Amino acid sequence: MFFFCTERHMSIQTKLKGLEMLADLDGAGRKSCPLCPEEKFKACYSHKLRRHLQNLHWKVYVELQGQRMCICHLPCRNLKPSLSGDQVSGRHVAHYHCVVCSVTIARKTDMISHLKRHINKGETEASYSGSSDVPFKEPAPSDQAYEIMKELGTNVQLLPNHTTPQKSDTYFNRKMKNNRQLVFCSLAVLTEERNPLECLDAFGATGIMGLQWAKHLCNAIKVTITDISDTCVKMIKENCKLNHIRVDGCPRGPRVPDSEVEGVPIATVEVAKMDANVIMHLRAFDYIHLDPYGTAVNYLDAAFRNVRNLGIISVTSTDTSSLYAKSPNVTLRHYGCHIVRTEYYREVAARMVVATVARAAGRCNKGIEVLLAVALEHFVLVVVRVLRGPTQADESAKKLRKLVHCQWCEERLFLKQGNMVDDTLPCNCHGSLPGKTTVQLGPLWSGPLFNTGFLRRMLSAAVQHSMDDIQPLVKTLICESECTTLKSFVHGPSALTNQVECGVVIKTQQSGEESSPADQSGKRKTGEESGSAVKKLKSDMSLEHPPFYYSIHRHSIRGMNMPKLNKFLQYLTEAGFRVSRTHFDPTGVRTDATLLKFKSVLTKYSVPTYTNATATQKNVSTETTT
């Protein structure tokens, strides 16, 4: 509940009857409007004044916690000066009175933004009582200070201001549900390779992600959840009790005995109050997830310090202003990359994060294989497999290249060693236009962003755990990784086979008698089998998806009706190019065709917009002549 101003303005009411009582509509004679000056609205009879209050003041309101701030026309604000600067000749401005701080604001949208700032600052009873010396209590069903939210069968309690970590020290974003499910599926795939795994959720907050791991994967993993905030640690322990999960490594006290839990605890989670860099330096993990509030570059060195070979690190970055080229100075400071706003800016952001991860791995003599890179509206998720050894680190470092981008036609190409910049791009903008048209971006990751075998196993895990929300996204990623429009997906034991990832044969869902024990261990093969696996991997390099994509609306022709996107993909395929849709942009087309060929196919199958109009005119003219 908000702390409202003690002297509330009369324009703030809970019901329309409050305004009518101010106007004394039950009395006889003419009445004046209590929220309008006499020169604006003259005194009238009750029936007309009632319509005025309802239509002008009551309907145009801003509501907060049941309190309606009606529009006020009284001279509460200063006069708005005229263009000549004469304040006397100005007029009074309609405004709203804030229910929290009693400030007056003219526009309704500004008033809504003002109230949101009050909410983000945590000016609620819950935040004030939480900052006092009152001990942390378990939420009762009748307690309105907490909200119980359920996601993927896991219950978590949230503070009313859980979206403002600056005030509550806890953070929960409902829009990150897809992110949490993608991370869960990647961990579920790793458990098929070897178990038990030691997993780390380095930024627990409410503990929702680590609790989902423990609740659904059970004995296959050992989950550790850490956070530097005392409030978050207490919240995580309370959420463990809420989900019948035992907290390991800390005294349970009288609140968490096993006798009070219904049955045996379904899993055990270690909860620790520790800095993420400290615990990653002290202990080794098979799976590490980094999801700080903003950029994760400060934690990458510690993550690669002790991560085990063939382990997985997932990184979630939410600093979209620097990733999407809105703050290029911050981008250069955090990621060491120079970027500009392009039509394919989301893939540039993903490749920039992967490049930063690869440099951090190289400093620890480790290489990476990118399993998944997703860039949506509010986050960038990168999942990589760690490959130990200086040779693997050198191979990853070779994939960090500069990108040559034409700022006129937006053609792009990764720059190779010894190439002249102006002679690299297939477009002729540098010769037909005065001045320089190209710019170098990066360095960026030039390798593939997806592993098809890993994505197929993620899709199987999503089906197994009934994650219907991300199945269309994973299917799009599979088509994007293969650069195909094929939509046939088969689930079940016969759908997946052994996948080769960086010379390592990974056992997937298949009958046990068809594989050897060495395959099930997930270890590196030796002799001829290992050599054949590496050769197979190198032979598949030519089938990697082409980098970047073109937006069909960005390159449309004026005065022409474009074909439907699916039809256009079919036309490009018939022309001999590899094509697919991309999750980065719903109007984007990933293809190995150059921009010139892309435009030529688009022009060939576009129809002039005036064709139908001219045809009807010709028919009308022929009818008139006859």
Side-chain angles (χ1 to χ4, degrees), residues 369-483:
E369 180 202 8
V370 183
L371 304 175
L372 172 68
V374 175
L376 298 178
E377 182 180 357
H378 46 277
F379 71 89
V380 174
L381 172 65
V382 171
V383 181
V384 299
R385 188 186 295 276
V386 181
L387 308 173
R388 183 173 295 175
T391 304
Q392 302 288 352
D394 293 340
E395 291 296 325
S396 299
K398 291 178 183 178
K399 297 180 181 179
L400 303 181
R401 298 180 185 175
K402 288 278 190 176
L403 180 70
V404 183
H405 170 78
C406 179
Q407 291 186 305
W408 181 256
C409 67
E410 299 214 23
E411 180 64 291
R412 75 300 302 252
L413 194 67
F414 278 110
L415 182 64
K416 297 181 180 180
Q417 295 291 336
N419 282 14
M420 298 297 292
V421 176
D422 288 341
D423 297 336
T424 301
L425 290 175
C427 66
N428 59 351
C429 297
H430 62 278
S432 59
L433 297 173
K436 296 182 179 181
T437 61
T438 59
V439 63
Q440 290 190 27
L441 309 181
L444 304 174
W445 176 262
S446 62
L449 294 179
F450 312 101
N451 184 288
T452 306
F454 193 85
L455 288 174
R456 288 188 179 275
R457 289 186 286 158
M458 283 183 60
L459 179 60
S460 178
V463 174
Q464 180 182 356
H465 295 279
S466 301
M467 297 182 181
D468 300 332
D469 296 336
I470 64 166
Q471 290 182 24
L473 175 60
V474 178
K475 291 178 181 179
T476 303
L477 295 177
I478 294 174
C479 292
E480 191 173 359
S481 65
E482 297 176 342
C483 198

Side-chain angles (χ1 to χ4, degrees), residues 241-258:
K241 179 185 176 183
L242 195 63
N243 292 276
H244 308 306
I245 296 176
R246 185 173 58 196
V247 179
D248 190 18
C250 65
R252 291 174 293 179
R255 294 185 298 109
V256 199
D258 292 342

Side-chain angles (χ1 to χ4, degrees), residues 69 96-98 105 107-115:
M69 291 154 275
Y96 296 90
H97 291 263
C98 178
I105 297 178
R107 299 180 61 186
K108 183 177 181 179
T109 55
D110 294 341
M111 190 65 194
I112 295 174
S113 302
H114 175 78
L115 293 175

Side-chain angles (χ1 to χ4, degrees), residues 556-563 602-610:
S556 61
I557 300 97
R558 179 175 295 181
M560 304 284 283
N561 284 334
M562 298 181 302
L602 185 61
T603 306
K604 179 180 178 182
Y605 293 98
S606 297
V607 181
T609 56
Y610 53 83

Side-chain angles (χ1 to χ4, degrees), residues 99-292:
V99 69
V100 180
C101 61
S102 71
V103 69
T104 58
I105 297 178
R107 299 180 61 186
K108 183 177 181 179
T109 55
D110 294 341
M111 190 65 194
I112 295 174
S113 302
H114 175 78
L115 293 175
K116 287 182 179 179
R117 285 194 291 270
H118 278 303
I119 297 174
N120 293 336
K121 290 179 181 179
E123 295 176 343
T124 62
E125 275 189 0
S127 63
Y128 289 125
S129 61
S131 61
S132 60
D133 297 330
V134 178
F136 190 87
K137 298 181 181 180
E138 180 184 354
S142 61
D143 193 354
Q144 299 299 325
Y146 298 94
E147 175 187 356
I148 302 298
M149 194 280 309
K150 187 173 183 178
E151 180 181 297
L152 198 62
T154 306
N155 298 317
V156 290
Q157 58 184 11
L158 308 174
L159 292 174
N161 50 355
H162 58 268
T163 59
T164 56
Q166 297 88 349
K167 290 295 180 180
S168 64
D169 291 335
T170 61
Y171 183 70
F172 182 83
N173 190 354
R174 301 177 188 271
K175 295 181 180 180
M176 299 291 283
K177 181 180 179 180
N178 290 341
N179 177 276
R180 288 187 286 269
Q181 293 186 359
L182 288 173
V183 172
F184 177 88
C185 290
S186 64
L187 177 59
V189 171
L190 187 61
T191 57
E192 298 174 1
E193 301 173 10
R194 60 181 190 268
N195 59 74
L197 300 176
E198 293 191 31
C199 311
L200 174 65
D201 183 9
F203 300 89
T206 59
I208 176 66
M209 186 169 291
L211 294 178
Q212 289 177 352
W213 298 350
K215 194 164 186 177
H216 292 273
L217 300 178
C218 299
N219 296 328
I221 59 174
K222 298 178 181 178
V223 180
T224 302
I225 306 177
T226 62
D227 205 287
I228 197 62
S229 170
D230 289 325
T231 307
C232 289
V233 172
K234 293 178 182 178
M235 182 75 73
I236 294 170
K237 292 179 181 179
E238 294 293 334
N239 288 331
C240 288
K241 179 185 176 183
L242 195 63
N243 292 276
H244 308 306
I245 296 176
R246 185 173 58 196
V247 179
D248 190 18
C250 65
R252 291 174 293 179
R255 294 185 298 109
V256 199
D258 292 342
S259 59
E260 294 184 5
V261 180
E262 297 179 1
V264 182
I266 59 177
T268 302
V269 170
E270 180 183 354
V271 182
K273 179 183 179 298
M274 192 178 299
D275 185 79
N277 284 325
V278 174
I279 193 171
M280 288 187 292
H281 275 288
L282 293 176
R283 295 171 51 183
F285 294 95
D286 298 282
Y287 191 97
I288 298 175
H289 176 62
L290 302 176
D291 185 10

Side-chain angles (χ1 to χ4, degrees), residues 317-384:
S317 301
T318 55
D319 54 330
T320 54
S321 60
S322 57
L323 291 174
Y324 295 162
K326 296 179 182 178
S327 303
N329 56 330
V330 182
T331 305
L332 184 61
R333 184 168 69 247
H334 286 172
Y335 298 96
C337 297
H338 169 67
I339 60 174
V340 296
R341 185 78 170 191
T342 62
E343 65 170 317
Y344 50 94
Y345 65 94
R346 284 196 174 95
E347 185 168 345
V348 169
R351 292 184 179 274
M352 183 170 57
V353 175
V354 175
T356 307
V357 171
R359 285 196 294 267
R363 288 191 288 269
C364 298
N365 288 332
K366 296 174 183 177
I368 64 169
E369 180 202 8
V370 183
L371 304 175
L372 172 68
V374 175
L376 298 178
E377 182 180 357
H378 46 277
F379 71 89
V380 174
L381 172 65
V382 171
V383 181
V384 299

